[in-house]
Each structure stands twice: as structure tokens, then as C-alpha cells.
Amino acid sequence: MPYLTLGSYPPAELKCSTDGSGGLGECINSRNLRQIKHNPITLHRYYYPVIADTNERDKDQVLSKFLLKKDKQGEEKILMVNQLRIWIIDEKTIITATTEEPNQTSTRNLLQTTLDNILYGGTRSRFERATSVQSVMNLVLGVATGSFMEIFIPVRSPDSKRPIEMKGPIEIFRESIRNVADDETRLFRDFLAGLHDETMEQGLHGEESRPNSRVGRMPRNRYHIISSETELLEKIRDICDELHILRSLAEDQDVVWKQAFSPDDSRDDLQYYHSCTPTDVKKHLDEMLLEVEKTTDYVSVARSRMALTPS
């Protein structure tokens, strides 16, 4: 099952690698003994596996731009995709493996979060204590799917009493959409104010009320440039693109979720999982995609009107 984590840019080698030089002359036994290492991958490498180089997209994520706006001197962080694998051996044995590094210093480590919930589930966590193989699998998958909503990304705050606040991926995307919508409203108001000022300068404000006035043409904004609106359009399209990537990831999680739990399992039966299912995540993402679509329309219409203003 794929799940979200926080990484740094530039990330480590993104494709699977092996220890040892290998080569055509290497014997089969030696080749089989080589250690295979699977690394986490970036959002765009996950969604666009056929693209050889995603560096330009990777370093321009919605998350990294959001964090850079808050702290221009901070380390560049990006969303990464790790893989979780689970094998149930018998009624008492379960094996899990992830592509996370054992010494990963992220504020959200799947292994540590799972262990904390297993050990302290009854007192420190919203998860119930896991006591069986099935409940452990339930808990581990819950931690993985909860990566969308979990608050684990440190964000610089203007509040001196609390310089760092924690946010989740979904929350950051929602705030990024609101920022674009607010910027679009501000630019459009500035545009209208510019038209009003030019109207006043040309003496049209008083002439409009005169029935015999010869002034019949629309006011002009001869110096308006639409570069700011074009940048907003690029921002909202980037948000839309990454939301589709996140929804694809949630779809992949849903496939594993349905394999792990039968349709007869009710929500109340999942007592060890108290966050959200992939279905819940997809619902949130669909709502955000509708909001993005509306914002894109607003920005596009405003850009077109400003571009068509006679000079």
C-alpha cells in the first residue's frame, strides 16, 4: 500500500538500486545475494513513471511553495510516497516492511507511530490497543491511510509564542486553494479600481448621467498587464494536478483496503482504526477538486476580461 511521508529536496536516488556493481559476468548466485534497496519516490515520479526526469516538477510542489512562503530560509520539504507491505504468516505472526529509512527523522514515521499505538493504544492514542494479527493489520493500514489527514508537517508561524505549528497535507492544499482565490479577488478589485481611477481622470464619471453627453465609449485600462493573473492560473493548475495525483494514490490504497477487509465489515467493527478510510479521503479530494475547478474558472474569466480591456 502506498502512503504519504515528508521528505527533503533533492531526495535520495528515486529508483530501486542494488548494492554491488553487478555486470554480465556475475554468477546467478552472487546476483541473487545482492541486497535490493527500495527507496521512497516523489509524487510526480509515482504518478508519471514513464517520465525519466521529474526534477522540475519535484522541486515545485504545492507543499514546498507553501512552506517557502512561510519561511524563505527553511529547508525545502516535499511530499514523498512510500510503500507498505504486509504478510500474515499465521494467527500469531505478522511481518511488515516499508521503504522508509530506519533512521528517518520525519515527524511522522509509520513504524514508530504503529508501535506507539500498539504499546500505548489504550492510554495515549485514539486507536484501541491491538491484541491480534488482524487488529495489528487494521492498525498499520489505518496509520498508512491516515497520512492524508494526519497533522505531521511543521509550518513556520508568525506567532512568536508558537513559532512552529503542525498541519496536514489536506489542510495545506485547502489553504493553498484559498490563497489563490483571495489573490484573484484582490487582483480583480485592483483592476476595477484602476478602471474607476481612469474614468475619473477622463471626466467620464460625471458625463455618464448627462443624456446628451457625447462620451459613449467604455473606460480604458491601457497599462494593465496580466502576468499576475497568468501566474495565479499556473498555481491553481499545479494544485489541480497534484490533487489528481493524491486521488490516484487514494484509489490505490482503496484497492488494498478492500483486499484486507471484506465488504461485510462495518465501520463499528474496525475498532482499531479510528481515522478515515480511503473512501473518506477520496470524498475530501473530490470536494477540493470541485473547489479548484471553480477557482480556475474565476481566474480564467478575470484574466480574459483584463486581457480584452482596450488600451
Side-chain angles (χ1 to χ4, degrees):
M1 172 183 281
Y3 64 96
L4 289 176
T5 55
L6 187 64
S8 300
Y9 184 87
E13 182 65 27
L14 299 178
K15 56 186 178 181
C16 296
S17 62
T18 56
D19 295 336
S21 58
L24 296 177
E26 183 181 16
C27 67
I28 295 178
N29 289 337
S30 176
R31 191 178 306 148
N32 290 339
L33 290 175
R34 290 208 314 267
Q35 181 182 0
I36 299 177
K37 184 178 182 181
H38 298 273
N39 291 315
I41 57 179
T42 64
L43 280 181
H44 289 90
R45 179 62 65 97
Y46 173 80
Y47 192 68
Y48 302 106
V50 297
I51 297 180
D53 186 3
T54 60
N55 285 332
E56 288 299 321
R57 297 169 181 258
D58 295 335
K59 68 181 181 182
D60 198 37
Q61 280 191 11
V62 172
L63 172 66
S64 59
K65 288 186 287 190
F66 179 88
L67 296 178
L68 182 62
K69 186 177 180 180
K70 300 288 186 180
D71 183 11
K72 296 187 181 301
Q73 304 299 324
E75 182 183 7
E76 189 167 357
K77 296 291 186 179
I78 61 175
L79 287 175
M80 305 286 291
V81 178
N82 276 285
Q83 294 286 342
L84 166 67
R85 294 172 175 83
I86 299 178
W87 296 269
I88 296 180
I89 308 303
D90 53 39
E91 294 181 356
K92 296 183 179 181
T93 308
I94 182 172
I95 298 176
T96 63
T98 74
T99 51
E100 285 189 66
E101 294 290 343
N103 58 348
Q104 184 172 334
T105 58
S106 171
T107 54
R108 185 188 190 277
N109 181 282
L110 184 136
L111 174 62
Q112 190 59 52
T113 303
T114 302
L115 290 177
D116 287 345
N117 289 326
I118 292 176
L119 295 174
Y120 310 109
T123 56
R124 288 182 49 188
S125 171
R126 58 187 176 180
F127 290 86
E128 296 291 338
R129 186 183 297 275
T131 57
S132 66
V133 167
Q134 185 70 18
S135 62
V136 170
M137 180 186 69
N138 191 335
L139 192 152
V140 174
L141 292 181
V143 173
T145 57
S147 58
F148 284 93
M149 313 298 294
E150 199 73 25
I151 300 175
F152 65 94
I153 301 175
V155 179
R156 177 70 63 180
S157 170
D159 188 356
S160 58
K161 296 182 179 179
R162 193 179 63 170
I164 300 294
E165 59 179 337
M166 308 300 287
K167 294 180 180 290
I170 293 293
E171 182 181 2
I172 287 177
F173 272 83
R174 287 192 185 279
E175 191 168 334
S176 297
I177 297 171
R178 288 197 299 268
N179 290 339
V180 173
D182 291 342
D183 288 343
E184 185 274 331
T185 301
R186 176 182 56 81
L187 288 173
F188 194 71
R189 286 177 177 174
D190 290 344
F191 171 71
L192 291 178
L195 292 179
H196 181 267
D197 292 342
E198 188 171 342
T199 300
M200 295 293 292
E201 291 176 2
Q202 295 181 3
L204 297 178
H205 186 70
E207 296 288 336
E208 290 176 350
S209 59
R210 301 179 183 179
N212 297 325
S213 174
R214 296 181 179 179
V215 181
R217 59 189 179 93
M218 294 293 293
R220 301 177 180 180
N221 188 353
R222 67 183 66 182
Y223 301 117
H224 187 75
I225 301 174
I226 61 172
S227 59
S228 297
E229 291 76 16
T230 304
E231 291 175 1
L232 277 186
L233 194 59
E234 182 183 21
K235 287 181 181 179
I236 198 66
R237 286 179 175 176
D238 287 344
I239 294 173
C240 183
D241 184 40
E242 291 189 25
L243 283 177
H244 279 292
I245 296 176
L246 295 181
R247 199 187 188 289
S248 176
L249 194 151
E251 285 279 5
D252 293 341
Q253 286 188 342
D254 198 28
V255 172
V256 180
W257 187 267
K258 291 176 180 177
Q259 292 174 352
F261 305 108
S262 67
D264 297 332
D265 293 333
S266 66
R267 187 65 179 264
D268 296 335
D269 292 335
L270 303 179
Q271 58 176 333
Y272 302 100
Y273 176 62
H274 197 62
S275 181
C276 58
T277 67
T279 300
D280 298 326
V281 172
K282 288 190 292 183
K283 181 179 178 180
H284 282 287
L285 294 173
D286 287 339
E287 292 173 353
M288 294 171 66
L289 283 169
L290 286 175
E291 188 176 353
V292 165
E293 183 179 352
K294 293 179 181 179
T295 305
T296 302
D297 290 341
Y298 293 150
V299 175
S300 298
V301 170
R303 179 175 176 270
S304 299
R305 287 177 177 175
M306 296 174 189
L308 292 174
T309 301
S311 58

